Amino acid sequence: MLDEILVGDVLRRARLGGADFAELYVERWRRRALRVLSGEVKEATSGIEYGAGLRLFYGTEVVYAYTNDLSPESLVELTETLVKLKGSAGQVDAQGQGGLDFRKAVAQGLHAPAIPFTARDKRYRLERIREAEAGAQVSPQIKQVQSNLMEWEQEVLVANSEGKWAEDRRVRTRLYVTAIAQDESGMQTGVVGPGLSVGLELFDRYSPAEIGRKAGMQALTNLRAKPAPAGSMPVVIGNGFGGVIFHEALGHLLETTSVAKKASVLSDKLGEKVASEVVTYIDDGTTPHGWGSSEFDDEGLPTERTVLIENGVLKSYMVDRLGGMLTGYRPTGSGRRQDYTFAPTSRMRNTYIAPGSTPREKLFEGIEYGLYAADMGGGQVRPGSGEYNFAVKEGYIIRNGRIEEPVRGAMLVGKGPESIKRIVAVSDDLEMGPGMCGSLSGSLPVEVGQPHLLISEIVVGGQA
C-alpha cells in the first residue's frame, strides 16, 4: 500500500528525532451495508477508507497521531509533529540513523473467502435477505422484520523501526436479523446474527431462511413468556453467545490494558487458582474463519492460541507491546485497534470456555428449581472488579430437572471472578457467537463462546 522507501524514511526520521521505537500502521477499508425493513430497502451503501497512524515510544511514554493523507509530504509532516511533541530524547544509535532492512511477512490466506464480494451482485444479496425475512414470518404475530447484511474487507500494513513488516487481509460478513412479535400484551423481539471471517459463502454455512426462522421463533417465545422470578438459584447458561458474560466480566480483567495498571482484581495472579477446576479459558486469534481472527495482530505479530486459564489456574494474560513493557510478560499477538484512528491495546479475539465432559442433559439433573438462560443479550460490567448484570434474551424455568415454561425479563447479576469459581459442570457442545466489543482502542469484531454450563448459584433479577 505504501512504498518501502517511504515507510523506511518515516520510521528513520522518527528514530532520528529521539523516539526509542516507531511503528507505522496503514490500512484500506472497503465496507458495504444493506438494510431491509419489512421488505423495503432502507440502506444500500458502500465506501472506502484509507489512512495511517504513527506511534512513537519514548521509554513507556507513547504518542500517536493519524492522517488520511498518505502523500510523502503529509507523512513527513505527521512524523515531525509527533517528534516536536516530545523534543529530542537524547542520542540516537547507529541503527536508528541507518536504513531499515525489513523482514517481510505476508498473510497466507488462512481466512481467505471462498466467494469474494465481487462474485455476486446486489440482487443476489437482496434475494438472500428476503429469504431471511420470509423465514421469520412464523406467525401472524410477527409484525416487523429487519435484516442487515454487513461486509468488510480490510488490508493492513504494519512496519516498525525494528525491521518488522507485516501485511494482512481481513474479510468479514455478517447477517443480522431482528424479528418483532406483538399481541395485546405488548411487543417482544428475537435476534439472530451469525458472522464469520468469510465472504458470501456465509449464506452456504447459515441458511438465511433458518436465521430468520430462529429470530421469529425467539420473538414468539418471549411474547408468550411469563415474568422471570427473582432470587439466588442454580443457572444453566446456553452455549454460543452465552459466553458474553465471561468475555465482559472475566476476559477484560485479563488484558494488560487493566492488568498493567493494577486495575484488575486478577493482576499478579499468574499460577494461582482463580476458577473452578472444570474451567479452561482460551483466547484464540487463529481460529479458522473466526469472526475475530486474523493472521497478524495490529502490531504486526502473528496471532496465537493463548490459554488464559487451565483447569482453574491462571496461565497467561493477553499482552500487547506496551503491556509487555509495563509488566514484563511476553506479547501474545493481542494488539488490536478499530482502525487507523486508534492506537492498539491488548484486546480479546475469539474467547471461549473449552468443552468439558458432562453431557448437556446431565446439567439439568438434580436442579429442583432454577433458570435456563438459553440465549444471552447485552449488559453492563464495572471495569476492574468484573461486577456485571446481563439480560437473558431467551430463558426458561428449570423444575425438577426439566426445562419448563419460558420466562422473560431475567437479569443475571454477579461478579465474573466469583461466578467462574461456581461453575460446577461444563458440557461438550461448544459453540461460538459473533459480537462487537468496545474498549480503549475502539469497537472490534470478537467471538465469544462456551458449551452449556452449570453455575451452582447466581442472583437472578426478575419481576415475578
Side-chain angles (χ1 to χ4, degrees):
M1 287 185 285
L2 283 184
D3 179 78
E4 183 177 331
I5 295 175
L6 173 58
V7 172
D9 183 52
V10 167
L11 297 173
R12 183 181 64 86
R13 285 174 182 269
R15 290 284 282 122
L16 286 170
D20 299 316
F21 173 82
E23 172 194 84
L24 185 65
Y25 173 89
V26 187
E27 71 175 355
R28 180 188 290 114
W29 272 96
R30 297 180 181 88
R31 306 179 197 241
R32 301 173 182 85
L34 182 58
R35 180 168 64 91
V36 177
L37 177 63
S38 298
E40 183 179 350
V41 177
K42 293 293 186 179
E43 178 185 2
T45 60
S46 62
I48 296 177
E49 298 176 23
Y50 193 31
L54 180 64
R55 184 168 62 148
L56 306 185
F57 282 66
Y58 297 84
T60 56
E61 291 187 61
V62 179
V63 291
Y64 187 77
Y66 60 89
T67 179
N68 61 4
D69 181 353
L70 301 189
S71 65
E73 296 79 13
S74 173
L75 291 175
V76 168
E77 180 182 2
L78 183 73
T79 308
E80 292 176 348
T81 299
L82 276 185
V83 166
K84 288 177 182 177
L85 285 176
K86 294 295 296 182
S88 176
Q91 297 295 317
V92 180
D93 61 27
Q95 181 183 359
Q97 297 179 18
L100 285 172
D101 183 17
F102 288 113
R103 304 178 302 279
K104 293 193 173 183
V106 179
Q108 300 302 302
L110 300 180
H111 314 290
I115 304 178
F117 298 138
T118 54
R120 301 287 189 269
D121 59 13
K122 287 184 179 178
R123 183 180 298 277
Y124 170 84
R125 293 163 166 82
L126 188 57
E127 288 172 351
R128 302 291 80 74
I129 284 180
R130 286 185 168 149
E131 288 174 6
E133 281 207 334
Q137 299 295 336
V138 293
S139 164
Q141 292 174 314
I142 300 296
K143 303 300 182 183
Q144 187 179 91
V145 180
Q146 178 170 280
S147 300
N148 293 269
L149 176 61
M150 295 165 280
E151 303 170 11
W152 300 350
E153 192 171 6
Q154 182 191 30
E155 295 172 294
V156 167
L157 163 65
V158 184
N160 67 36
S161 56
E162 295 176 346
K164 181 175 292 294
W165 180 292
E167 297 180 45
D168 202 2
R169 181 169 179 260
R170 304 155 186 178
V171 177
R172 295 184 171 94
T173 306
R174 189 178 189 188
L175 178 60
Y176 196 86
V177 179
T178 303
I180 298 177
Q182 183 177 16
D183 63 11
E184 63 280 358
S185 67
M187 291 190 302
Q188 296 295 328
T189 60
V191 178
V192 178
L196 291 169
S197 289
V198 298
L200 294 177
E201 69 268 25
L202 181 76
F203 298 130
D204 297 328
R205 294 179 179 233
Y206 297 95
S207 160
E210 180 62 13
I211 295 170
R213 187 194 69 81
K214 287 182 177 179
M217 290 303 297
Q218 188 179 86
L220 282 182
T221 297
N222 287 329
L223 192 65
R224 62 185 175 86
K226 298 177 180 179
S232 294
M233 63 187 73
V235 174
V236 174
I237 302 179
N239 58 357
F241 202 71
V244 69
I245 291 181
F246 296 108
H247 166 97
E248 294 289 357
L250 179 68
H252 283 299
L253 301 181
L254 299 175
E255 296 167 336
T256 48
T257 306
S258 58
V259 170
K261 301 173 184 175
K262 311 295 184 185
S264 166
V265 295
L266 295 177
S267 296
D268 302 322
K269 298 283 188 182
L270 282 183
E272 296 184 22
K273 186 176 180 181
V274 297
S276 162
E277 63 186 18
V278 301
V279 173
T280 293
Y281 196 51
I282 297 167
D283 182 63
D284 191 352
T286 69
T287 304
H289 303 287
W291 178 245
S293 294
S294 60
E295 292 194 45
F296 299 98
D297 74 353
D298 291 331
E299 297 181 317
L301 288 179
T303 54
E304 64 173 53
R305 179 181 182 270
T306 308
V307 178
L308 303 170
I309 298 172
E310 186 174 26
N311 299 326
V313 177
L314 182 59
K315 294 292 187 178
S316 178
Y317 297 108
M318 289 165 280
V319 188
D320 62 327
R321 183 183 184 90
L322 179 59
M325 292 173 66
L326 293 172
T327 63
Y329 300 134
R330 176 188 64 86
T332 55
S334 305
R336 303 187 69 195
R337 62 183 104 194
Q338 176 178 312
D339 55 38
Y340 70 91
T341 66
F342 291 85
T345 58
S346 56
R347 302 290 296 274
M348 285 172 276
R349 300 159 298 192
N350 307 302
T351 314
Y352 59 94
I353 293 177
S357 58
T358 303
R360 175 183 175 275
E361 59 274 12
K362 293 287 186 181
L363 298 178
F364 299 88
E365 291 183 3
I367 298 177
E368 292 184 14
Y369 188 80
L371 179 72
Y372 173 35
D375 197 6
M376 296 301 302
Q380 295 178 327
V381 176
R382 177 173 292 179
S385 70
E387 294 177 69
Y388 66 82
N389 60 80
F390 274 87
V392 177
K393 195 162 62 173
E394 181 179 345
Y396 301 85
I397 291 297
I398 303 171
R399 189 177 288 107
N400 297 321
R402 297 172 59 117
I403 300 171
E404 300 285 358
E405 69 271 17
V407 291
R408 64 174 183 245
M411 298 289 294
L412 301 186
V413 182
K415 289 185 179 181
E418 292 180 2
S419 296
I420 202 165
K421 292 177 181 178
R422 295 175 179 170
I423 297 176
V424 295
V426 179
S427 186
D428 57 1
D429 57 347
L430 173 66
E431 285 190 6
M432 305 293 289
M436 298 299 296
C437 174
S439 190
L440 293 178
S441 56
S443 180
L444 293 170
V446 297
E447 276 189 348
V448 302
Q450 64 178 39
H452 278 77
L453 56 83
L454 169 61
I455 299 179
S456 60
E457 184 180 28
I458 193 169
V459 174
V460 177
Q463 299 173 342

